[in-house]
Structures are given as C-alpha cells and as structure tokens.
Amino acid sequence: QLQLQESGPGLVKPSATLSLTCNVSGDSINSVGFYWGWIRQDPGKGLEWIGSIYSTGHTYYHPSLKSRVTMSVDTSKTQFSLQLSSVTAADTAVYYCARHVGLPAPYYFDHWGRGTLVTVSS
Amino acid sequence: SYVLTQPPSVSVAPGQTARITCGGDNIGSKSVHWYQQEPGQAPVLVVHDDSERPSGIPERLSGSNSGNTATLTISRVEAGDEADYYCQVWDSNSDHYVFGTGTKVTVL
C-alpha cells in the first residue's frame, strides 16, 4: 500500500525559504510513468498545484510559482522535496505531496499524503 | 490561463441526486478528474478520465464530460457524501495542472 508522508517546519519566517520533504513507502519512487507532486491549499480555500518531478529529475512547475520553486528527488532515500523561496503570508497553506500518473501525459493524482500546515509569520 | 468554474455549493436531500458541474473552455476535449475532500482530510480521487471510477468508489458516483461542461453525479445521496468536490485537468497549452474552484455538497 503506497503511503506518502510530508515533513518539515510548521512555521517559516517571511522572506525565508520553505522546505518540505515527502517520504514514499510501499512502492518505488522509480515506478515507471508516475510523477511526484506538491499541491497546497489555503485554509478553507481551494487546491493549487505547485509542481511535479519524475525520478529522472524532470520537472513541471506552476507558471506563477516557477521563479520561486525548486523540487528534487532522492531515489536512494525514496523521498522528494520542495523548496519555495521568498515566502510571504500568502504562502501559508496546507501542503500535500501526491503521486500522479505522468506518462504518456499528466493525468490524475491517485495517492496523497495527509498534508502539513505551514504558516508564514515572524 | 485555463480556468475551471464550479458552483460554490450544492444542497441535496438524502436519496436524491446531486449534480456538480465544472465549466471550462472546450473542456470536453480534455480528461477531467474529480476529487472528494472531507473536512480535515486529504482529497481522494473518485472519478478519473471523465467517467472511470477507481477501485472502491461506489457506482453511485459517475462522471460525464462534453462541450464546455463536465459533471459529477452522485445518485442516491447519503450523509457520508457531504464533502467538498474538486474537478481537475491538465492544461497542455501551459503545461500545468488546474483545479476547479470547488463545490461544497450539503446533505439536507
């Protein structure tokens, strides 16, 4: 049974870099055809996709966040990470990691982590 | 950029049918996926590729997609169907995922 678990600081200061890690268990992060993504949700609001990464390192990023987002994957540790730079209060959200079908084209997210709340505040 | 519009809320009596729409420009040409999110929980995929149900999702949930509107239909609504529902597509013009604005389903 595939499981994803987010980890990282729950509080980040304005202008700092938000860093989160998603640990993958129950399946290989090298599974062919699957990408690993990050989605966030403002408290009480809708879902926003941040970006996705393949085991080879290929990435897709949301156009509006692209300048601030870096994603990486560590296949030996079966985890992938998100860094979001120059954060503001608008980046306060619950952050989810998830797996999605990515080949031959990006499709649906079939497994999600439970999410972690990150608050940006001094 | 591509926009998906959903009604903010839908109310339905138990046993009746709820229809949740997702509007987008020529959305019928895209694959639409639907997620159910209960309060405090992560989203769960309930329909993919317009009308396919993942294992474990009841047949009462069904999807369709044509023209400028995709629809998630919940038949014989139960109290446990009360949740937020989101549609989602991949916008190949700009290579990014788009989620709908979300619909809160209330069971009266």
Side-chain angles (χ1 to χ4, degrees), chain A residues 5 44 50 57 68 84 95 104-105:
Chain A
Q5 178 67 59
I50 300 169
R68 298 195 292 131
L84 181 65
Y95 286 75

Side-chain angles (χ1 to χ4, degrees), chain B residues 8-102:
Chain B
S9 62
V10 168
S11 298
V12 58
Q16 299 303 302
T17 298
R19 293 180 179 85
I20 305 163
T21 58
C22 175
D25 184 33
N26 196 26
I27 195 173
S29 66
K30 302 180 183 297
S31 290
V32 179
H33 319 293
W34 291 90
Y35 302 86
Q36 176 193 66
Q37 185 180 32
E38 296 180 355
Q41 302 295 315
V44 172
L45 180 71
V46 292
V47 166
H48 66 86
D49 293 285
D50 298 338
S51 59
E52 300 296 316
R53 278 184 306 277
S55 173
I57 301 302
E59 292 183 4
R60 299 185 300 105
L61 277 70
S62 61
S64 63
N65 183 22
S66 178
N68 293 317
T69 305
T71 303
L72 176 69
T73 300
I74 309 174
S75 304
R76 301 181 299 283
V77 166
E78 304 173 354
D81 296 325
E82 194 162 273
D84 294 326
Y85 292 81
Y86 295 90
C87 57
Q88 172 247 309
V89 301
W90 173 258
D91 179 13
S92 57
N93 288 331
S94 53
D95 274 354
H96 79 279
Y97 279 112
V98 180
F99 285 95
T101 49

Side-chain angles (χ1 to χ4, degrees), chain A residues 80-93:
Chain A
F80 61 103
S81 300
L82 168 71
Q83 290 193 313
L84 181 65
S85 64
S86 305
V87 297
T88 69
D91 295 308
T92 293

